[in-house]
């Protein structure tokens, strides 16, 4: 009985912590969607207060006692304890003073980065970047306890993944993607660009229908506008955001579908796991697999874009593209560009691999911050065949490093790799997938993903989650085969 | 130095508590404006978790130690300590088990009340009401420690006020208000009703301009729609809500102005008090004085309604009322009615006095819950000259008692009394008030209120706050003089 009580006490304590974490997340949502601008400073204090409460709870010494005494009754309880133990170990290994210093420095660093990017002034950012790297290396050393520093950082976002395992996948992907990119851009069969102006209100109405088509549960969420779209929350309150530009409706539509992928994962988790460690997506990579398969493999498929074409004609009138096939090619148009967040399916992973190699070298100490710009520009020229014209199009383009997110980038590409595997398994299991997508109905895909993957939340490790869903261990093969087939056809390679 | 540190430590701890309380308030705002309906149950757990954190902080034994050792350096520090001591004493006097039981019972009671009201079934509500009263009496006994139970409850909302002091004011008000009401309703000079349909979007645009006219700071707030309008938050994030019905634009406009009154108070408090005990309105009564003077004494004045008439003509076209004078009379129309929240300036306080007498008798034990309906209906007939036709128009109309709010009602009427005093002082100090209101400019009033009252937040006790602002101690005289003059003229008595 003593054992039973320890597990129950721990889970009751944890449940309150999860509820407080949801509150913190909702404050973040509010900040990006609703908060009046004059509230920023006060909000900083509010966030700091709730983060203080969460930190105290997550490092509460009673957790160690409960973990010692708790005996899990089943596999679910085992998984709960695994998450709690993992979190507790990570939180307590890092000295409080270091954690505070990282929080302080990175909160200032983001502003310095933003100014440096606006001014295209690399030198103004480098001292701060060096500080951030130094602190994250210290943190990694505390976590790794003799092991690889970068692995310790990656593990926070993608439990079980290592630089070596990711590097092996990326090394196999890179040559095929470089070749595909070059062939696509050299093809004489370039799709037309989308041209024209598309009313914001009509875009938002259509984007709500897209969310519905992909199974977003409006009774447990809502859609708002944000500068950088995101999804937020777990369980029964999972909110999404999008953005609207009249010249670029695809941005609105595919941002929405992407965030619906994240949200569908959270909304799809077994309700029994709500407000427990299992009640959230298991890793950034698995999360990204959901957003990516919704956005790309499904949302940018010939079948679904055929339906979308009809919807756009109906709602916006003729807009210069005359057939579903032409529209499909336009949606999947590959264009040279510097910016990761604007990259298409072919080029996106090349951006990630570059950041992965550079940040690994920065953390290892093989690359000094003053050499980063040159290393970035050399690599960009090698992979993309273009010289970077200014730092805001180069090493200053992403916020991640300024806020200390090292080890995070590779999860984006892992998500694409996982999505490739999931599509292969989904197509084998659901033969009428395309027929249904062509009617604007993604529910067979959402249903399959929910059953095979989403409902399990954090029950299994990330790679095991994908393996169980697909029936095979994930690798880069299905994604590359899919990309070469899809873009080979579009560009008549 | 030891003393100095105790005060600083206490204030640092308190500041985090205030920040967490702001978060809890913002969750409440989210629940009424943004939350998807499916999130209600999860939100309950989230609210419970943050309330648990707040309760633990507010009863933290370190507060007693700090209070023992802290020596205030000035009047501001003295006031801070007074608030903290008061809160700590109240929180620790009530046994935790009782506080939890009250929270549990009242959260269920609200639903039972709502169902009873919908079904006009008094009997279904009485057992629950009896429980709530029993628990609140227990709480009051713990707080009063031998003193008057009802006083202990009132003191939570209106520090320093007692049943006797309020009762004395109300006893003087009642005969004059009963007489005024009877004379107004018997007058042959009845104003016309507002008729027609007023587009919701145009109402919302105009209501935003009304908020601006009364000095609402949009950079530190926002306006949304809620079923029951409210304002929420302190310092730099003070949000307001309103509602829109196309048949009743005055509801939208005057709800907004009312909430702007509350919000202007919060926004107007000295920024140095932000996230401290002084950084909020000092009592419910003083808060209500601000919402009422904005809504009624200013917003329903002849001067301001003259401007509003022009705005409505401009935005909605002709709407059947042809002169500013006729419009002024329509805005201030007195109609028989059962419902407190729909009552005009003449009848509103009569509703409050009735609730005050009834709830005082309930808490004292002089009135049993099974006799409440008869007592309500008798009193309503006596003061309003009308028999209550059904419980939803009678004792079941208000949510307050179901959630345990005994001692709260009188603060609404105290707010009106205070507003009457403030108007008298304001008019003496600002001779061109009406000339400016006639141009849709309430800034002289807002400026005067900010300087004389709002900026001080919780620095002084409620009555002292009003006395300092007015230059005289508040009583019911100015309000009654104002009401008799205003409605005597409108109804040509």
């Amino acid at each position: 009985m003593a054992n039973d009580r320890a597990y129950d006490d721990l889970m009751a304590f944890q449940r309150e912590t999860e509820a407080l974490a949801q509150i913190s997340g909702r404050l973040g949502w509010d900040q990006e969607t609703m908060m009046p601008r004059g509230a920023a400073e006060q909000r900083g204090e509010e966030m700091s207060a709730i983060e203080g409460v969460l930190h105290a709870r997550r490092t509460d010494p009673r957790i160690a006692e409960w973990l010692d005494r708790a005996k899990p009754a089943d596999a679910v309880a085992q998984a709960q304890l695994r998450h709690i133990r993992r979190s507790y170990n990570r939180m307590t290994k890092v000295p409080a003073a270091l954690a505070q210093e990282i929080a302080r420095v990175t909160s200032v660093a983001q502003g310095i980065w933003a100014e440096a990017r606006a001014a295209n002034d690399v030198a103004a950012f480098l001292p701060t970047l060096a500080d951030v790297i130094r602190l994250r290396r210290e943190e990694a050393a505390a976590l790794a306890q003799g092991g690889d520093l970068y692995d310790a950082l990656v593990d926070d976002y993608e439990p079980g993944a290592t630089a070596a395992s990711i590097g092996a996948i990326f090394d196999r992907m890179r040559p095929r993607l470089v070749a595909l990119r070059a062939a696509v851009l050299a093809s004489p069969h370039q799709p037309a660009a989308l041209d024209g102006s598309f009313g914001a209100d009509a875009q938002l109405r259509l984007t709500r229908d897209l969310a519905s088509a992909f199974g977003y549960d409006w009774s447990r969420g809502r859609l708002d506008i944000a500068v950088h779209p995101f999804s937020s929350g777990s369980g029964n309150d999972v909110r999404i955001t999008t953005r609207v530009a009249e010249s670029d409706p695809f941005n609105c539509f595919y941002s929405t579908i992407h965030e619906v992928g994240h949200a569908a994962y959270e909304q799809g988790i077994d309700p029994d796991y709500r407000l427990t460690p299992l009640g959230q997506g298991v890793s950034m990579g698995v999360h990204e697999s959901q957003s990516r398969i919704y956005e790309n493999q499904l949302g940018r498929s010939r079948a679904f874009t055929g339906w979308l074409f009809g919807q756009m004609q109906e709602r916006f009138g003729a807009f210069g593209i005359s057939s579903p096939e032409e529209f499909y090619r336009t949606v999947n148009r590959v264009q040279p560009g510097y910016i990761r967040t604007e990259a298409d399916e072919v080029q996106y992973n090349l951006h990630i691999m570059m950041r992965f190699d550079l940040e690994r070298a920065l953390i290892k100490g093989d690359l000094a911050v003053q050499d980063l710009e040159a290393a970035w520009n050399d690599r960009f020229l090698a992979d993309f065949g273009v010289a970077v014209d200014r730092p805001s199009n180069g090493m200053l383009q992403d916020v991640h490093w300024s806020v200390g997110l090292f080890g995070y980038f590779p999860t984006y590409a892992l998500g694409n790799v996982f999505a490739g595997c999931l599509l292969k398994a989904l197509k084998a299991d659901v033969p009428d997938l395309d027929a249904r997508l062509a009617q604007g109905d993604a529910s067979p895909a959402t249903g399959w993903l929910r059953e095979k993957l989403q409902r399990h939340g954090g029950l299994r490790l990330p790679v095991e989650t994908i393996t169980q869903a697909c029936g095979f261990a994930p690798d880069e093969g299905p994604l590359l085969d899919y990309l070469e087939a899809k873009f080979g056809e579009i560009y008549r390679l």
Side-chain angles (χ1 to χ4, degrees), chain A:
Chain A
M1 278 309 293
N3 286 336
D4 286 348
R5 220 179 47 234
Y7 179 78
D8 292 345
D9 289 350
L10 174 57
M11 289 305 289
F13 181 83
Q14 185 68 32
R15 194 173 182 89
E16 284 186 358
T17 307
E18 301 286 345
L20 293 166
Q22 288 298 311
I23 292 173
S24 172
R26 200 143 309 110
L27 272 189
W29 168 85
D30 183 270
Q31 190 163 327
E32 302 300 325
T33 57
M34 298 290 156
M35 188 183 82
R37 62 186 157 72
E41 193 194 329
Q42 178 172 325
R43 176 59 58 90
E45 281 198 66
E46 294 168 11
M47 285 298 292
S48 167
I50 187 113
E51 287 305 318
V53 170
L54 283 167
H55 187 271
R57 291 185 71 94
R58 286 169 175 156
T59 56
D60 191 308
R62 287 175 295 174
I63 294 175
E65 294 167 32
W66 282 319
L67 283 170
D68 274 352
R69 287 160 46 212
K71 293 274 178 291
D74 56 21
V76 168
Q78 245 161 16
Q80 300 283 20
L81 292 177
R82 175 167 52 79
H83 279 275
I84 296 170
R85 183 170 286 116
R86 178 185 148 78
S87 159
Y88 183 75
N89 286 343
R90 285 192 76 90
M91 298 290 290
T92 51
K93 274 181 188 165
V94 179
L98 176 58
Q100 278 169 16
E101 177 74 354
I102 290 173
R104 193 188 62 75
V105 168
T106 53
S107 77
V108 178
Q110 188 172 353
I112 294 171
W113 162 77
E115 282 176 29
R117 185 177 69 157
N120 272 296
D121 183 354
V122 169
F125 180 53
L126 289 186
T128 302
L129 180 60
D131 276 352
V132 173
I133 292 171
R134 175 179 54 76
L135 290 165
R136 286 288 271 164
R137 279 171 54 91
E138 274 183 50
E139 185 191 22
L143 292 168
Q145 310 208 315
D148 183 79
L149 298 189
Y150 189 76
D151 283 357
L153 298 175
V154 167
D155 190 70
D156 200 19
Y157 312 112
E158 200 66 21
T162 63
S165 68
I166 296 168
I169 293 172
F170 286 2
D171 286 347
R172 294 192 295 268
M173 289 171 75
R174 186 177 173 207
R176 283 172 71 178
L177 287 176
V178 169
L180 179 59
R181 179 190 173 281
V184 156
L185 290 179
S187 164
H189 306 288
Q190 296 293 322
L194 184 68
D195 213 11
S197 182
F198 302 81
D201 288 347
Q203 280 191 44
L204 285 171
R205 280 193 296 274
L206 177 49
T207 220
R208 294 181 72 87
D209 292 343
L210 294 174
S212 300
F214 278 93
Y216 184 66
D217 180 352
W218 293 99
S219 77
R220 298 189 289 142
R222 50 179 292 130
L223 172 75
D224 297 280
I225 302 292
V227 177
H228 302 290
F230 63 97
S231 73
S232 161
S234 295
N236 289 339
D237 198 346
V238 185
R239 305 182 183 186
I240 56 175
T241 56
T242 190
R243 58 182 155 199
V244 188
E246 301 214 328
S247 63
D248 188 5
F250 292 160
N251 196 321
C252 174
F253 302 154
Y254 287 100
S255 291
T256 299
I257 299 174
H258 181 98
E259 300 309 333
V260 166
H262 285 300
Y265 189 6
E266 295 292 337
Q267 290 186 329
I269 294 173
D270 188 332
D272 285 349
Y273 299 164
R274 193 164 56 80
L275 296 180
T276 78
L278 300 194
Q280 294 147 54
V282 70
S283 73
M284 302 308 305
V286 176
H287 238 299
E288 204 69 12
S289 80
Q290 300 305 288
S291 58
R292 298 286 169 157
I293 194 173
Y294 279 60
E295 176 188 354
N296 291 331
Q297 277 86 353
L298 302 171
R300 289 191 166 95
S301 67
R302 174 177 278 121
F304 190 76
T305 56
W307 179 79
L308 179 59
F309 177 64
Q311 291 296 312
M312 285 186 64
Q313 283 195 312
E314 205 172 278
R315 295 165 193 240
F316 300 106
F319 56 92
I321 290 177
S322 54
S323 77
E325 185 61 24
E326 198 191 337
F327 182 77
Y328 169 59
R329 288 165 44 83
T330 294
V331 166
N332 288 288
R333 193 159 170 257
V334 176
Q335 282 283 295
Y338 299 107
I339 303 295
R340 175 186 61 83
T341 56
E342 297 167 2
D344 47 77
E345 284 184 85
V346 171
Q347 299 181 91
Y348 189 89
N349 296 307
L350 288 170
H351 281 275
I352 296 303
M353 293 169 197
M354 178 174 151
R355 284 154 183 69
F356 171 72
D357 287 338
L358 293 171
E359 70 179 18
R360 207 165 33 149
L362 286 168
I363 293 295
K364 203 166 181 181
D366 289 351
L367 177 62
V369 291
Q370 57 266 34
D371 300 326
L372 175 59
E373 185 178 17
W376 179 293
N377 293 351
D378 288 353
R379 173 67 175 264
F380 196 83
L381 187 62
D383 283 2
F384 293 82
V386 184
V388 171
D389 60 348
R390 53 178 183 269
S392 62
N393 280 334
M395 64 159 275
L396 291 181
Q397 71 179 261
D398 286 314
V399 68
H400 297 59
W401 289 337
S402 77
V403 293
L405 288 176
F406 292 88
Y408 189 101
F409 276 123
T411 67
Y412 292 132
L414 278 183
N416 286 327
V417 167
F418 294 160
C421 298
L422 290 166
L423 181 72
K424 183 177 170 179
L426 169 64
K427 288 211 157 190
D429 280 2
V430 183
D432 69 338
L433 178 68
D434 280 345
R436 301 283 290 274
L437 286 173
Q439 297 163 357
D441 174 14
S443 64
T446 294
W448 186 90
L449 287 164
R450 180 150 304 184
E451 175 60 25
K452 295 282 185 177
L453 186 150
Q454 293 169 353
R455 70 187 173 93
H456 299 297
L459 183 64
R460 301 161 179 152
L461 287 172
V463 166
E464 197 194 336
T465 298
I466 301 294
T467 304
Q468 291 285 331
C470 295
F472 56 86
D475 69 29
E476 74 289 352
L479 175 68
L480 293 176
D481 293 346
Y482 152 81
L483 290 174
E484 287 167 352
K486 175 176 179 175
F487 290 91
E489 190 202 43
I490 289 173
Y491 283 88
R492 302 183 204 165
L493 304 179

